[in-house]
Amino acid sequence: MYVKDHMTREPVTITRDVKISKAVDIMSKGHFHRLPIVDENGVLVGLVTGGLVTEKSGANATSLSIYELNYLLSKTKVEDIMLTDVKTIQGDAFIEEAAQKMLDEGISVLPVVDDENHVLGIITEKDIFQAFTDLLGYKHQGTRFVFQCDDRPGFFAGIAKLLAENEANMEAMAVYHTKARGTEVVVKATGEITVENMVKILVDAGYQLNNVTQTTKFGTMRTFDV
Protein backbone atom coordinates (compact mmCIF):
# COMPACT_ATOMS: atom_id res chain seq x y z
CA MET A 1 0.00 0.00 0.00
CA TYR A 2 1.55 3.26 -1.13
CA VAL A 3 1.24 6.72 0.37
CA LYS A 4 0.07 8.09 -3.00
CA ASP A 5 -2.99 5.82 -2.88
CA HIS A 6 -4.21 7.21 0.45
CA MET A 7 -3.05 10.83 0.55
CA THR A 8 -5.20 13.86 -0.17
CA ARG A 9 -4.07 14.95 -3.62
CA GLU A 10 -3.44 18.59 -4.51
CA PRO A 11 -4.12 19.88 -1.00
CA VAL A 12 -4.89 23.51 -0.31
CA THR A 13 -1.66 25.44 0.14
CA ILE A 14 -0.83 29.03 1.01
CA THR A 15 2.18 31.30 0.62
CA ARG A 16 4.22 32.67 3.50
CA ASP A 17 2.76 36.20 3.22
CA VAL A 18 -0.81 35.08 3.99
CA LYS A 19 -2.14 36.50 7.24
CA ILE A 20 -2.83 34.08 10.10
CA SER A 21 -6.50 35.06 10.24
CA LYS A 22 -6.87 34.10 6.57
CA ALA A 23 -5.16 30.75 7.17
CA VAL A 24 -7.50 30.05 10.09
CA ASP A 25 -10.50 30.92 7.91
CA ILE A 26 -9.30 28.57 5.14
CA MET A 27 -8.85 25.70 7.60
CA SER A 28 -12.23 26.35 9.21
CA LYS A 29 -14.12 26.42 5.92
CA GLY A 30 -12.26 23.37 4.59
CA HIS A 31 -12.73 21.38 7.82
CA PHE A 32 -9.04 20.54 8.12
CA HIS A 33 -6.33 21.58 10.56
CA ARG A 34 -3.09 21.84 8.56
CA LEU A 35 -1.87 23.98 5.68
CA PRO A 36 1.38 23.45 3.77
CA ILE A 37 3.13 26.71 2.96
CA VAL A 38 4.84 26.95 -0.43
CA ASP A 39 6.88 29.46 -2.40
CA GLU A 40 5.97 30.84 -5.81
CA ASN A 41 7.14 27.60 -7.46
CA GLY A 42 5.06 25.32 -5.25
CA VAL A 43 8.07 24.19 -3.20
CA LEU A 44 7.35 23.42 0.44
CA VAL A 45 8.77 26.00 2.85
CA GLY A 46 6.70 25.46 5.99
CA LEU A 47 3.56 24.19 7.67
CA VAL A 48 0.93 25.85 9.82
CA THR A 49 -1.66 24.05 11.95
CA GLY A 50 -4.64 25.07 14.03
CA GLY A 51 -2.80 23.98 17.16
CA LEU A 52 0.23 26.04 16.22
CA VAL A 53 -1.90 29.16 15.76
CA THR A 54 -3.41 28.65 19.21
CA GLU A 55 0.00 28.06 20.76
CA LYS A 56 1.82 30.95 19.11
CA SER A 57 -0.99 33.46 19.58
CA GLY A 58 -1.52 32.47 23.20
CA ALA A 59 -5.24 32.33 22.48
CA ASN A 60 -5.90 30.14 25.51
CA ALA A 61 -3.92 32.27 27.94
CA THR A 62 -3.75 35.80 26.56
CA SER A 63 -5.23 38.78 28.36
CA LEU A 64 -6.16 40.31 25.00
CA SER A 65 -9.83 40.71 24.17
CA ILE A 66 -11.26 38.72 21.26
CA TYR A 67 -11.21 41.88 19.17
CA GLU A 68 -7.56 42.60 19.98
CA LEU A 69 -6.64 38.96 19.27
CA ASN A 70 -8.42 39.00 15.91
CA TYR A 71 -6.67 42.24 15.02
CA LEU A 72 -3.31 40.71 15.89
CA LEU A 73 -4.00 37.63 13.76
CA SER A 74 -5.12 39.80 10.85
CA LYS A 75 -1.80 41.66 10.89
CA THR A 76 0.59 38.74 11.42
CA LYS A 77 1.86 36.60 8.54
CA VAL A 78 2.03 32.82 8.70
CA GLU A 79 5.77 32.96 8.06
CA ASP A 80 6.15 34.43 11.54
CA ILE A 81 4.81 31.27 13.23
CA MET A 82 5.13 28.46 10.66
CA LEU A 83 7.11 25.30 11.21
CA THR A 84 10.12 25.24 8.92
CA ASP A 85 11.63 21.86 9.82
CA VAL A 86 8.76 19.98 8.19
CA LYS A 87 8.94 16.18 8.01
CA THR A 88 7.86 14.92 4.59
CA ILE A 89 7.45 11.70 2.64
CA GLN A 90 7.25 10.70 -1.01
CA GLY A 91 4.26 9.18 -2.72
CA ASP A 92 5.98 5.91 -3.60
CA ALA A 93 6.80 5.18 0.03
CA PHE A 94 4.84 2.41 1.72
CA ILE A 95 2.10 3.62 4.02
CA GLU A 96 3.63 1.80 6.97
CA GLU A 97 6.73 3.98 6.50
CA ALA A 98 4.52 7.05 6.84
CA ALA A 99 2.93 5.60 9.98
CA GLN A 100 6.31 4.82 11.53
CA LYS A 101 7.67 8.27 10.71
CA MET A 102 4.65 9.88 12.41
CA LEU A 103 5.23 7.70 15.48
CA ASP A 104 8.97 8.40 15.57
CA GLU A 105 8.53 12.15 15.18
CA GLY A 106 5.41 12.48 17.36
CA ILE A 107 3.44 14.13 14.56
CA SER A 108 0.10 13.50 12.86
CA VAL A 109 0.66 14.80 9.33
CA LEU A 110 3.19 14.49 6.51
CA PRO A 111 3.22 16.60 3.36
CA VAL A 112 3.87 14.38 0.34
CA VAL A 113 6.53 15.80 -1.97
CA ASP A 114 8.46 14.95 -5.12
CA ASP A 115 12.24 14.96 -5.55
CA GLU A 116 12.26 18.78 -5.83
CA ASN A 117 10.10 19.19 -2.70
CA HIS A 118 7.00 20.27 -4.63
CA VAL A 119 3.84 19.49 -2.65
CA LEU A 120 1.86 16.67 -4.28
CA GLY A 121 -0.39 15.75 -1.40
CA ILE A 122 -0.79 15.40 2.33
CA ILE A 123 -1.34 12.34 4.51
CA THR A 124 -2.61 12.40 8.08
CA GLU A 125 -3.07 9.90 10.89
CA LYS A 126 -6.74 9.71 9.90
CA ASP A 127 -5.70 8.51 6.43
CA ILE A 128 -3.50 5.86 8.07
CA PHE A 129 -6.44 4.65 10.17
CA GLN A 130 -8.63 4.46 7.06
CA ALA A 131 -5.97 2.52 5.16
CA PHE A 132 -5.71 0.05 8.04
CA THR A 133 -9.45 -0.66 8.08
CA ASP A 134 -9.49 -0.89 4.27
CA LEU A 135 -6.59 -3.34 4.32
CA LEU A 136 -8.48 -5.67 6.65
CA GLY A 137 -11.81 -5.14 4.91
CA TYR A 138 -13.41 -4.20 8.22
CA LYS A 139 -16.59 -2.65 6.80
CA HIS A 140 -16.76 -4.82 3.68
CA GLN A 141 -19.25 -7.65 3.39
CA GLY A 142 -17.77 -11.01 4.33
CA THR A 143 -16.65 -13.14 7.25
CA ARG A 144 -13.56 -12.61 9.39
CA PHE A 145 -11.94 -15.79 10.70
CA VAL A 146 -9.30 -15.48 13.44
CA PHE A 147 -7.10 -18.59 13.63
CA GLN A 148 -4.68 -19.61 16.34
CA CYS A 149 -1.52 -20.03 14.27
CA ASP A 150 0.87 -22.97 14.52
CA ASP A 151 4.50 -22.09 13.92
CA ARG A 152 5.02 -24.46 11.01
CA PRO A 153 5.39 -24.22 7.22
CA GLY A 154 2.18 -24.69 5.25
CA PHE A 155 -0.20 -23.55 8.00
CA PHE A 156 -1.72 -20.77 5.93
CA ALA A 157 -1.62 -22.81 2.70
CA GLY A 158 -3.98 -25.33 4.29
CA ILE A 159 -6.49 -22.61 5.17
CA ALA A 160 -6.33 -21.14 1.67
CA LYS A 161 -6.87 -24.58 0.15
CA LEU A 162 -10.00 -25.24 2.21
CA LEU A 163 -11.44 -21.83 1.36
CA ALA A 164 -10.78 -22.35 -2.35
CA GLU A 165 -12.28 -25.85 -2.33
CA ASN A 166 -15.49 -24.39 -0.94
CA GLU A 167 -15.53 -21.43 -3.35
CA ALA A 168 -14.80 -18.91 -0.61
CA ASN A 169 -12.77 -15.99 -1.90
CA MET A 170 -10.12 -14.56 0.42
CA GLU A 171 -10.42 -10.76 0.49
CA ALA A 172 -7.80 -9.87 3.12
CA MET A 173 -5.25 -11.49 5.42
CA ALA A 174 -3.05 -10.37 8.30
CA VAL A 175 -0.81 -11.96 10.93
CA TYR A 176 -0.70 -10.74 14.54
CA HIS A 177 1.94 -11.61 17.12
CA THR A 178 0.77 -11.23 20.72
CA LYS A 179 2.31 -12.04 24.08
CA ALA A 180 -0.98 -13.26 25.53
CA ARG A 181 -2.25 -15.47 22.70
CA GLY A 182 0.79 -16.14 20.56
CA THR A 183 0.37 -15.78 16.81
CA GLU A 184 -3.01 -15.33 15.12
CA VAL A 185 -3.94 -15.27 11.45
CA VAL A 186 -6.89 -13.10 10.43
CA VAL A 187 -8.65 -13.94 7.15
CA LYS A 188 -11.56 -12.03 5.60
CA ALA A 189 -13.45 -14.15 3.06
CA THR A 190 -16.63 -14.06 0.98
CA GLY A 191 -18.59 -16.80 -0.72
CA GLU A 192 -21.88 -18.66 -1.02
CA ILE A 193 -21.09 -21.24 1.66
CA THR A 194 -22.72 -20.52 5.02
CA VAL A 195 -20.56 -19.38 7.88
CA GLU A 196 -21.66 -22.34 9.99
CA ASN A 197 -20.61 -24.84 7.32
CA MET A 198 -17.27 -23.15 6.70
CA VAL A 199 -16.56 -23.09 10.42
CA LYS A 200 -17.31 -26.82 10.67
CA ILE A 201 -15.01 -27.61 7.74
CA LEU A 202 -12.16 -25.62 9.26
CA VAL A 203 -12.59 -27.07 12.76
CA ASP A 204 -12.90 -30.62 11.42
CA ALA A 205 -9.61 -30.04 9.58
CA GLY A 206 -7.94 -29.30 12.91
CA TYR A 207 -7.85 -25.51 12.87
CA GLN A 208 -8.51 -23.57 16.07
CA LEU A 209 -10.72 -20.53 15.59
CA ASN A 210 -10.52 -17.77 18.19
CA ASN A 211 -13.19 -15.57 16.63
CA VAL A 212 -15.62 -15.57 13.69
CA THR A 213 -17.47 -12.36 12.78
CA GLN A 214 -19.68 -11.75 9.75
CA THR A 215 -20.28 -8.33 8.21
CA THR A 216 -23.47 -8.10 6.14
CA LYS A 217 -24.00 -6.00 3.05
CA PHE A 218 -25.84 -3.54 5.31
CA GLY A 219 -22.76 -3.13 7.51
CA THR A 220 -24.16 -4.94 10.54
CA MET A 221 -21.99 -7.49 12.35
CA ARG A 222 -22.71 -10.87 13.86
CA THR A 223 -20.29 -12.90 15.98
CA PHE A 224 -20.50 -16.71 15.92
CA ASP A 225 -19.73 -19.11 18.75
CA VAL A 226 -16.57 -21.13 18.07
Side-chain angles (χ1 to χ4, degrees):
M1 300 177 73
Y2 297 100
V3 167
K4 61 186 177 184
D5 297 323
H6 296 277
M7 68 183 185
T8 297
R9 294 179 177 274
E10 299 180 357
V12 177
T13 60
I14 56 175
T15 53
R16 66 176 83 215
D17 59 341
V18 169
K19 300 298 191 292
I20 295 176
S21 58
K22 178 63 175 178
V24 170
D25 186 54
I26 291 172
M27 287 189 281
S28 177
K29 289 181 178 178
H31 303 289
F32 47 79
H33 307 287
R34 300 98 169 175
L35 273 173
I37 300 169
V38 299
D39 66 12
E40 62 276 7
N41 298 312
V43 173
L44 182 70
V45 295
L47 182 75
V48 68
T49 70
L52 186 63
V53 170
T54 300
E55 176 189 341
K56 294 297 184 180
S57 67
N60 290 336
T62 183
S63 60
L64 296 176
S65 70
I66 186 65
Y67 304 105
E68 292 171 321
L69 182 59
N70 285 339
Y71 177 80
L72 176 64
L73 296 181
S74 70
K75 295 299 181 180
T76 308
K77 298 177 182 179
V78 291
E79 68 176 344
D80 295 324
I81 68 164
M82 69 182 186
L83 297 171
T84 55
D85 181 21
V86 184
K87 307 305 178 184
T88 62
I89 199 160
Q90 295 201 324
D92 287 331
F94 289 112
I95 199 163
E96 55 265 36
E97 181 182 340
Q100 190 62 57
K101 181 173 281 192
M102 289 184 195
L103 287 171
D104 291 343
E105 300 292 342
I107 56 179
S108 59
V109 60
L110 288 169
V112 184
V113 298
D114 63 14
D115 292 337
E116 285 76 41
N117 223 36
H118 296 104
V119 176
L120 304 178
I122 194 167
I123 189 164
T124 69
E125 58 184 4
K126 183 178 179 180
D127 297 319
I128 302 291
F129 296 154
Q130 186 62 59
F132 175 73
T133 58
D134 289 345
L135 179 64
L136 295 181
Y138 180 70
K139 287 190 174 182
H140 300 165
Q141 182 179 359
T143 304
R144 183 181 63 205
F145 301 91
V146 181
F147 298 86
Q148 189 68 41
C149 181
D150 295 336
D151 187 15
R152 59 177 173 82
F155 177 83
F156 179 71
I159 296 172
K161 183 173 182 293
L162 287 174
L163 290 171
E165 288 175 347
N166 290 277
E167 298 184 352
N169 186 42
M170 187 175 63
E171 303 285 343
M173 188 274 287
V175 178
Y176 293 93
H177 302 281
T178 71
K179 290 183 179 179
R181 300 181 308 280
T183 303
E184 293 179 325
V185 172
V186 181
V187 175
K188 187 72 175 282
T190 57
E192 295 300 322
I193 187 171
T194 66
V195 177
E196 292 85 353
N197 286 343
M198 195 67 239
V199 167
K200 185 177 187 307
I201 290 169
L202 291 166
V203 171
D204 287 348
Y207 292 101
Q208 178 184 333
L209 287 163
N210 292 346
N211 179 272
V212 177
T213 303
Q214 183 183 47
T215 303
T216 71
K217 63 181 178 181
F218 304 108
T220 57
M221 294 186 178
R222 174 189 175 192
T223 299
F224 291 78
D225 294 328
V226 292

